[in-house]
Amino acid sequence: MSGEQIIATEPIRGLSSAEAAALLARDGPNLLPEKPPVPLWRRITAQLRDPLILVLLVAAALTLATGDWTDTAVIMLVILVNTAVGVGQEIRADRAITALSQLTAPTARVVRDGSQRLLPAADVVVGDLLVLAEGDIVPADARVVESAALLVDESALTGESVPVDKSAEQTASAGTVVVRGRGRAVVTAVGIASTTGRIASLMVKGAGLTPLQRRLMDVGRLLAGVAVLLCVIVLTLGLVRGQPLELMILTAISLVVAAVPESLPAVVTLSLALGARRMAARHALVRRLAAVETLGSVTVLATDKTGTLTEGRMVVRSMWTPTGEATATGSGYGPDGEIVFGGSPDDPGLTGLLTAALLCNDARLGREPDGAWTALGDPTEAALLAAAAKLGLDRAQVDQRFPRVAEVPFDSVRKRMTTVHRSPDGHARVICKGAPEAVLQPAVLADDAALLARAVERADRLAHAGYRVLAVASADLDAVPDAVREAGLTLLGLIAILDPPRPAAAAAIAACKRAGIRPVLITGDHPGTARAIAVELGVIDAGDRVVDCRDPGREEAGVYARATPEQKLDLIQAMRDRGDILAMTGDGVNDGPALRRADIGVAMGERGTQVARQAADLVLADDNLDTVVAAVEEGRRVYANIRRFLVYGLSGGAAEIAVMLLGPFAGLALPLLPAQILWINLITHGLPGVALGGEPSLPGAMTGPPRSPTQSILGGGLWQRVIRISVVLTAVTLGVAVWAAHTGRPWQSMAFFALGVTQLGVAIGSRTRPGSTANPMLLLAVAGAFLLQLAGIYLPPLRELLGTEPLAPGDLLIVTALSTLGYAAVRLDRVLHPSPRARHDADRHDQPDGPGVTGHQS
């Protein structure tokens, strides 16, 4: 089904039941396309495609081929745990999203067979005659055929904060909300052919690899190549020395496993799962585990305006009368806040202005179950009611004193609304409220030209500052007129209204800038409104350029206004093509394609539409933008911990390889048995390695720029650090082995114990905050691994399995003391070779006016 369809509809009777049934069978239900549930096998396959998991699967297959069931079981256990954690998190997130999701319009009122019926929105068909009233959600695209002051909120589709007047022959789009008036409309498109459906169809592009996945894939390829090369070298050297073929095959396989930090997938998955759990506690639901880390890579935060940076509720901020002016504080539709007078607090002009705005008003204020105030009707008119309440005006009392006796509703041609009220003394009062260009003209007002010029100049200033401006005028008559006259009125004043920024938005934008993340505003709203909000929140400076997407030749800027969903996609793709890692926040249907195209999409959970939530990687259940900043910090913590584990795991693996390669040249025929290498990897890369993923973030994590999108996960000096630490581990292990061999001690068992325990020293030295009680699980894991290493040389069953001999107490103390060199190597390396992050923090600490952050990330 495509495009708008025209079905002949009798304007009073609507379709017949038979016609509707035939159309439903032809076009299908009025539903948006939903992503089919992912089968369990597909989730598992996606986890197993991880490069490091593939390397482990190959190693498991080789050990299985040689009949080494024990090593096969250990490797498969690591794969099983990693896969189970990843699949479980995805399933939990999808279930939570399903619980949040609701149909855009669960029911619809239509005319069929000449009578009104309430139907499920899914049963609406092309040609149905819709009956629309205040508060209704339009269930499908429709052409208006009758309109009585019909006003529709299209912000979910266009990003425009101000509702749009709909008259006959105009189109009402699916998913928009009737905020005032009533009307009838003939359905022209349903489901995927509707405006909402066409936007949803833009999201067919699947999610690409995250920065972390791309980096780990590079590491996986590198390690796989190294493993194959080592396998060939060791196998060749062993056969040349006359070692048995089966033993050398097992040794080569052991070195393959040593070259791969097999706990890395588990560490990555657990770190991401812990990050997702922390985010859930802060009302942020992670739909994909990798999204947690992706936020740590973000260089650009692109955000929508309405409902994301702003509250999505109109508020009166400024009032002007010919005799004075005032500002209003507070947010939302409640009476909280006050009127701050610029002149005399007894100025009767302001009271008259808000009294008139209260009378010439069709909106109402209601209360949610949680006590929050909400608008019933046009949100602009609801803002006027809230401002009047702040001045102490009571709606019921004012309406009782000045009952309405006639009106001319607002329409898009006149751009004003006029009401007539009976005064307490029996006279009449005419009130006109509307756009300045419709009210501030001699044909309507009897005021002198100088006052009109002042009012027009003030209205223009407010409009350029991003406000929606209303002009209010009135006239007192001797009696109620036979017809409403919109002439000879006296100007009461101007009222400036806006959708105010969220309280936490400015702090969130400032935090992003401190973290080196560039904020960009992309909105469908007017350029003046977009500029005002962007300047107030600090997205741009007052003199910066705002790009109107309707103009050709869009340049790079901090604010893009009047952007359509397609243009949002183009802008996001352009930023990604420049090498940026981009996060996009939004809540409307028009944001859905952009959320899917971005490296990470962030949707609002409370105000967000179903399309936005389904497209996002992260859903903010409380709509708090500040949570995005916390997620960025969490992502940086996760990435830092993954790099921390790589230093730990790769330095130990490199030391194992070096010991096996250099040992024969030092007179040690086979320094370590295959089972001993696998045991060391099991106890060092197991619980201690996984526990490193729980290290806390550093105080300076959000005070520097994000890492370069092109930087390898082994970049920034990490692989050099791996080599330096592995040199120390190798020297300690070979030194102990050579000394023990020359003194008649069990040298292989001493080398086995030294290599394992020295690696545990590296784990302790890799802590974020040495000496603190943070992450106690690491200390417990290291203690447990140390006990297991002792068991490997003292428990008879393990000694037989590993081929070890017990050590004398003195020898044990000597090796344990030397193992502290692993801890010293890490701490000294951080001092002599600080990471770029540490150097950045040190520079900031040296600045007289800068905050003193001394932590760094490795």
Side-chain angles (χ1 to χ4, degrees), residues 644 760-768 770 778 822-824 826-827 830:
R644 184 173 287 110
L760 295 179
V762 173
I764 295 294
S766 299
R767 300 183 69 198
T768 303
L778 177 60
Y823 173 87
V826 177
R827 303 314 303 174
R830 287 189 173 185

Side-chain angles (χ1 to χ4, degrees), residues 817-841:
L818 289 173
S819 69
T820 58
L821 292 176
Y823 173 87
V826 177
R827 303 314 303 174
L828 186 62
D829 190 83
R830 287 189 173 185
V831 174
L832 298 178
H833 305 280
S835 65
R837 169 74 66 183
R839 288 194 295 270
H840 170 81
D841 290 341

Side-chain angles (χ1 to χ4, degrees), residues 621-688:
D622 60 354
D623 291 4
N624 189 350
L625 191 65
D626 193 49
T627 306
V628 176
V629 179
V632 170
E633 182 176 8
E634 187 65 31
R636 292 187 179 185
R637 183 196 69 83
V638 168
Y639 189 77
N641 284 345
I642 292 171
R643 282 171 56 88
R644 184 173 287 110
F645 172 79
L646 283 174
V647 171
Y648 170 60
L650 292 181
S651 62
E656 294 168 5
I657 294 168
V659 167
M660 295 297 292
L661 292 177
L662 299 177
F665 297 100
L668 309 174
L670 189 61
L672 294 171
L673 298 175
Q676 293 172 346
I677 294 176
L678 289 168
W679 177 262
I680 290 173
N681 284 350
L682 177 64
I683 67 165
T684 58
H685 293 185
L687 290 178

Side-chain angles (χ1 to χ4, degrees), residues 741-772:
H742 282 78
T743 56
R745 291 174 167 82
W747 62 269
Q748 193 177 61
S749 296
M750 293 183 71
F752 162 74
F753 187 79
L755 183 55
V757 177
T758 308
Q759 287 189 49
L760 295 179
V762 173
I764 295 294
S766 299
R767 300 183 69 198
T768 303
R769 304 167 188 170
S772 73

Side-chain angles (χ1 to χ4, degrees), residues 374-389:
T374 184
L376 303 175
D378 183 354
T380 299
E381 293 195 329
L384 300 178
L385 299 182

Side-chain angles (χ1 to χ4, degrees), residues 449-490:
L451 176 59
L452 284 180
R454 285 176 53 206
V456 168
E457 188 271 336
R458 174 54 68 95
D460 287 343
R461 268 199 290 160
L462 290 171
H464 280 93
Y467 291 96
R468 186 189 185 193
V469 184
L470 293 178
V472 183
S474 72
D476 289 327
L477 306 177
D478 293 334
V480 175
D482 296 331
V484 178
R485 291 176 58 249
E486 295 178 321
L489 308 181
T490 300

